[in-house]
Amino acid sequence: MSDQRWVREQSRVTWEAMSRREHAAVVRAVRKGEPARDPATALPALHWAWAVIGPPGARRRHPWRDAFLADIYDGTPRNDARRVEAAYLPFTESLDT
């Protein structure tokens, strides 16, 4: 069943086919500043992040809250998603996808 939060159904299917260990490896690499430069990993990871936090154009903006939380990454899915987005968005934008 398709989930409307996902940008692409194929990304959802790919992400769900990955093991929890693979998901953790993606987040761990991003936390270390070493994200994979593989489009097969980057795009599903970015789309997972958007499923968690919403795509950039669909988010409600709360500047005071964003300023307060800008550098806080506490391991929650929402904050891990923000890190994944920051790591993979520039990379995926450089691709012709």
Side-chain angles (χ1 to χ4, degrees):
M1 171 174 18
S2 178
D3 184 339
Q4 294 301 316
R5 296 175 303 166
W6 283 84
V7 177
R8 290 189 185 165
E9 179 66 10
Q10 183 58 41
S11 291
R12 184 191 64 76
V13 170
T14 301
W15 186 260
E16 288 180 355
M18 295 168 65
S19 69
R20 294 186 105 185
R21 183 174 285 186
E22 290 170 308
H23 293 170
V26 167
V27 172
R28 200 169 34 255
V30 168
R31 286 180 183 166
K32 289 181 179 179
E34 304 168 355
R37 296 298 179 205
D38 175 16
T41 300
L43 198 57
L46 178 62
H47 289 176
W48 164 79
W50 287 348
V52 173
I53 61 176
R59 290 183 213 149
R60 289 181 18 178
R61 301 295 297 167
H62 300 288
W64 62 269
R65 185 171 168 250
D66 291 345
F68 179 69
L69 299 174
D71 294 323
I72 299 173
Y73 294 110
D74 60 5
T76 63
R78 181 172 180 77
N79 288 329
D80 283 339
R82 290 174 56 221
R83 274 193 151 164
V84 167
E85 180 187 48
Y88 286 121
L89 185 58
F91 173 68
T92 57
E93 285 178 338
S94 72
L95 303 173
D96 187 27
T97 57

